[in-house]
């Protein structure tokens, strides 16, 4: 059973990997099976690699090729301008993912379930960082713009009260009461979660769910979690998923929005918005500078 607690489900935002996946299908599969004429059979009738390749090219080929051309141009420009992406640059970006998921472990679990690898993410982050560095000279953000964004989005920068909790999820109340007794007898919460919880997303981390705020969890779970003191363990709590034993491990109290503390985040947001607009214009200018021959367009 894969359990998703937040009403707004946690999903990895990997839109930037979509073209990479298409590329791996079209190119990686093609070359990886270059010695095989037959890629599948149905009742003994063959499907050839040529049929597969032609269909994939017809469906996605031009889009993927455009992406490859763009990537090649970006690499040339980055090299021309001596732009080098360090491991520290990549780690800073990864930290943003970790924060959005509550912890690095939670992010890694979601990543594993998505089918992508950390290397996939790092590769695409490297490309994105290069693009941002190349666009930086073309984008300016004023103090007035930052202040205006803050004033219009104050609620976004105010911190709700949040709790960090772990839980053990089981199917029956009887099982939940049995685990509660073991906890009262001094057994380890994390180990009991690993051994008993049906929540596959959190059990290997000892039931850790990271931080969450109001509205992130189903009502019964949230009400119980927010009523607990740090270190306190709940009685069994019934929800649509089963019976939970909840342990609160940390609390972040609510805070009003603070302009100075929010400036860097706002600047990143505004840069991202402007970069999306500027990217197409910038890339089109480079297309005109480079000699590009697209042989797929003639097919």
């Amino acid at each position: 059973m894969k359990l998703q607690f937040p009403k707004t489900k946690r999903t990895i935002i990997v839109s930037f990997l979509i073209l990479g996946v298409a590329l791996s299908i079209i190119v990686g599969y093609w070359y990886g099976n270059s010695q095989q004429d037959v890629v599948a059979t149905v009742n003994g009738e063959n499907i050839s690699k040529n049929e597969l390749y032609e269909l994939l090219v017809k469906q996605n080929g031009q889009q993927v090729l455009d992406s490859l051309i763009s990537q090649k141009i970006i690499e040339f420009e980055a090299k021309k301008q001596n732009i080098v992406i360090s491991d520290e640059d990549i780690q800073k970006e990864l930290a943003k993912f970790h924060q959005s998921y509550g912890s690095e472990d939670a992010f890694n679990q979601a990543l594993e379930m998505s089918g992508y690898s950390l290397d996939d993410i790092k590769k695409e982050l490297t490309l994105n960082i290069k693009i941002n560095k190349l666009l930086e000279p073309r984008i300016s953000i004023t103090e007035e713009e930052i202040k205006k964004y803050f004033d219009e989005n104050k609620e976004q920068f105010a911190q709700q009260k949040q709790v960090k909790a772990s839980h053990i999820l089981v199917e029956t109340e009887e099982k939940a009461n049995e685990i509660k007794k073991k906890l009262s007898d001094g057994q380890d919460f994390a180990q009991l979660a690993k051994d008993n919880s049906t929540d596959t997303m959190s059990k290997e981390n000892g039931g850790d769910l990271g931080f969450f705020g109001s509205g992130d969890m189903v009502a019964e779970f949230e009400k119980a979690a927010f009523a607990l003191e740090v270190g306190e363990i709940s009685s069994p709590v019934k929800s649509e998923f089963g019976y939970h034993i909840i342990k609160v491990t940390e609390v972040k109290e609510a805070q009003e929005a603070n302009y100075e503390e929010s400036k860097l985040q706002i600047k990143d947001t505004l840069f991202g918005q402007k970069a999306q607009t500027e990217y197409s214009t910038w890339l089109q200018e480079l297309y005109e500078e480079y000699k590009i021959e697209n042989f797929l367009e003639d097919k």
Side-chain angles (χ1 to χ4, degrees):
M1 174 182 178
K2 183 176 76 172
L3 184 63
Q4 298 279 5
F5 285 103
K7 293 177 180 177
T8 304
K9 293 183 174 66
R10 288 177 176 173
T11 55
I12 296 180
I13 303 173
V14 288
S15 59
F16 51 80
L17 286 172
I18 292 174
L19 288 179
V21 172
L23 174 63
S24 68
I25 293 172
I26 295 173
V27 179
Y29 188 88
W30 170 254
Y31 284 107
N33 294 274
S34 59
Q35 302 302 316
Q36 299 178 8
D37 290 330
V38 177
V39 294
T41 64
V42 179
N43 284 345
E45 186 169 328
N46 295 338
I47 298 174
S48 72
K49 66 180 181 183
N50 286 334
E51 291 177 275
L52 173 63
Y53 175 75
E54 289 172 5
L55 179 60
L56 290 173
V57 167
K58 183 177 179 180
Q59 291 179 339
N60 302 291
Q62 190 59 61
Q63 183 185 20
V64 175
L65 183 56
D66 287 343
S67 177
L68 277 174
I69 292 170
S70 297
Q71 288 181 32
K72 187 67 70 175
I73 290 173
I74 292 163
E75 294 297 338
F76 273 125
E77 285 297 304
K79 186 175 181 180
K80 185 190 301 182
Q81 299 186 32
N82 296 316
I83 291 174
V84 178
I85 306 306
S86 67
D87 186 61
E88 183 180 0
D89 292 327
I90 296 171
Q91 291 304 321
K92 284 180 180 178
E93 293 302 311
L94 279 175
K96 296 176 183 178
F97 283 95
H98 300 161
Q99 184 177 8
S100 68
Y101 278 81
S103 69
E104 182 176 354
D105 287 338
F107 168 74
N108 287 336
Q109 283 188 19
L111 181 63
E112 183 178 350
M113 296 188 69
S114 76
Y116 296 108
S117 71
L118 187 58
D119 284 341
D120 292 330
I121 298 293
K122 286 183 176 180
K123 181 179 178 181
E124 297 304 323
L125 281 177
T126 299
L127 180 64
N128 286 351
I129 296 168
K130 285 179 180 178
I131 293 171
N132 286 341
K133 287 183 179 292
L134 288 165
L135 289 175
E136 276 178 2
R138 301 170 64 106
I139 295 173
S140 63
I141 299 168
T142 66
E143 185 77 20
E144 290 74 19
E145 288 176 301
I146 297 174
K147 187 66 168 64
K148 182 174 184 289
Y149 189 94
F150 176 79
D151 290 337
E152 292 176 351
N153 299 274
K154 274 189 177 179
E155 289 185 5
Q156 177 183 334
F157 300 103
Q159 180 181 290
Q160 293 182 331
K161 181 179 179 180
Q162 293 183 313
V163 300
K164 185 178 183 182
S166 300
H167 83 140
I168 302 169
L169 177 66
V170 293
E171 294 181 355
T172 67
E173 186 175 14
E174 180 182 5
K175 181 69 173 178
N177 285 324
E178 177 187 323
I179 291 172
K180 175 65 174 176
K181 185 177 185 306
K182 289 180 179 179
L183 289 166
S184 298
D185 292 339
Q187 292 196 32
D188 182 64
F189 190 100
Q191 190 59 53
L192 286 170
K194 290 179 181 180
D195 294 341
N196 297 278
S197 184
T198 60
D199 176 11
T200 56
M201 283 287 288
S202 71
K203 64 183 296 182
E204 293 307 316
N205 285 331
D208 183 16
L209 297 169
F211 280 99
F212 53 88
S214 177
D216 289 337
M217 300 293 186
V218 292
E220 304 91 341
F221 185 97
E222 181 181 300
K223 181 179 179 181
F226 274 80
L228 294 172
E229 300 291 334
V230 173
E232 188 178 0
I233 298 174
S234 73
S235 298
V237 176
K238 188 178 187 304
S239 79
E240 61 189 279
F241 299 108
Y243 290 85
H244 311 261
I245 305 292
I246 307 166
K247 180 180 180 180
V248 169
T249 56
E250 194 174 340
V251 174
K252 289 181 181 178
E253 296 297 338
Q255 294 181 3
E256 293 184 359
N258 183 291
Y259 176 65
E260 291 300 324
E261 292 178 0
S262 306
K263 283 175 68 173
L264 284 178
Q265 182 182 348
I266 296 170
K267 190 172 182 180
D268 283 346
T269 300
L270 292 174
F271 181 89
Q273 293 175 353
K274 292 189 176 187
Q276 284 185 338
T277 303
E278 187 65 26
Y279 176 76
S280 297
T281 302
W282 170 74
L283 191 61
Q284 186 57 46
E285 291 173 5
L286 292 175
Y287 261 70
E288 294 171 5
E289 292 180 18
Y290 283 81
K291 180 181 178 181
I292 300 169
E293 295 179 280
N294 187 338
F295 302 111
L296 197 61
E297 289 180 339
D298 299 330
K299 293 185 178 183

